Amino acid sequence: MLAAVVLVAGAVSILTPDEPPIPIPDGVPPVPGTPVPEIDVDAPGRSAAQLRDWAQPQAETLGIPVVALEAYGHAAAVLARSRPDCGLAWTTLAGIGSVESGHGRHGGASADENGTVAPPIRGVPLDGGPGLAEIRDTDGGRLDGDPVLDRAMGPLQFIPETWTRWATDANGDGVADPDNIDDAALTAGLYLCERGGDLTTAEGWTAALIAYNHSADYMALVRDRAAAYGVGVRP
């Protein structure tokens, strides 16, 4: 189990009365959205910032903070080079980020220009209650602040054990931080590619999302939001 609990409730697209509705495509995988321009993913520092001119014009329309959208696009760009067999689109990461934490805004949090989300977002204790797995502490509270039970962490809601195995530094600061949306987005992408294989297929995409959170309702919600982003609509 990766994402332990959905933090943000569902939403419905609303258009002004004189605007024709934009059809949201059905099926999986969701449409890939605006193509991510080629960037130098090996550049020093936060290479995701190279996507500012791509992210800024669509961020307000989509309801995604610019820094978060850069993080999703950057993760897709890195994986397009390192895992070209995977085909993960930024829209899937955006769908997950929306459901898990409102793109790092749950509880009044926000991401700074380096991608770090504060205050840190933590899920409820995983005590086996309704809708929750029971996961006893695996990190001595070092990552999630709870020495008794594990909690999901950060804008992509990793549990400590999964983060420890897959953690990746994506913003060039030398630290893999679950509270950094660049690091979390790329780590999530790596996990999805490993679990799903070819995410351009319905089978691969479905397998990846079920591995991320073993819930058909969760997968459908991520799909709906990712599909909306894919056609330029705020879900």
Side-chain angles (χ1 to χ4, degrees):
M1 184 178 185
L2 180 65
V5 60
V6 175
L7 294 176
V8 181
V12 178
S13 299
I14 299 175
L15 301 177
T16 57
D18 57 346
E19 289 181 306
I22 298 174
I24 308 300
D26 293 327
V28 297
V31 290
T34 307
V36 178
E38 190 170 321
I39 60 172
D40 180 6
V41 298
D42 297 318
R46 186 177 182 258
S47 53
Q50 297 172 65
L51 292 172
R52 184 61 51 98
D53 290 344
W54 169 81
Q56 205 153 36
Q58 54 183 333
E60 184 175 356
T61 299
L62 299 178
I64 302 176
V66 171
V67 170
L69 190 50
E70 291 171 348
Y72 305 142
H74 176 259
V78 171
L79 291 166
R81 189 182 75 171
S82 63
R83 287 292 307 267
D85 58 312
C86 175
L88 175 65
W90 67 265
T91 50
T92 291
L93 292 171
I96 293 172
S98 172
V99 172
E100 294 293 357
S101 71
H103 308 296
R105 294 175 295 191
H106 179 73
S110 62
D112 64 18
E113 284 297 310
N114 199 43
T116 299
V117 173
I121 298 171
R122 295 291 180 268
V124 298
L126 296 175
D127 59 4
L132 298 173
E134 181 178 351
I135 305 179
R136 308 301 299 180
D137 175 66
T138 61
D139 67 327
R142 179 179 62 86
L143 293 170
D144 63 3
D146 189 332
V148 178
L149 295 162
D150 274 352
R151 298 174 183 244
M153 311 178 295
L156 275 294
Q157 289 288 279
F158 284 90
I159 59 173
E161 185 177 21
T162 306
W163 180 259
T164 298
R165 179 177 177 185
W166 293 92
T168 304
D169 171 30
N171 70 341
D173 66 357
V175 178
D177 180 1
D179 295 309
N180 182 277
I181 198 162
D182 292 347
D183 296 355
L186 182 54
T187 300
L190 290 166
Y191 182 90
L192 292 166
C193 287
E194 183 65 25
R195 291 292 185 256
D198 184 357
L199 269 63
T200 66
T201 68
E203 295 79 10
W205 193 88
T206 299
L209 266 292
I210 288 294
Y212 202 93
N213 188 315
H214 196 70
S215 164
D217 289 341
Y218 175 88
M219 181 178 68
L221 184 55
V222 169
R223 192 221 73 88
D224 289 349
R225 296 194 184 186
Y229 294 138
V231 294
V233 172
R234 181 191 300 230

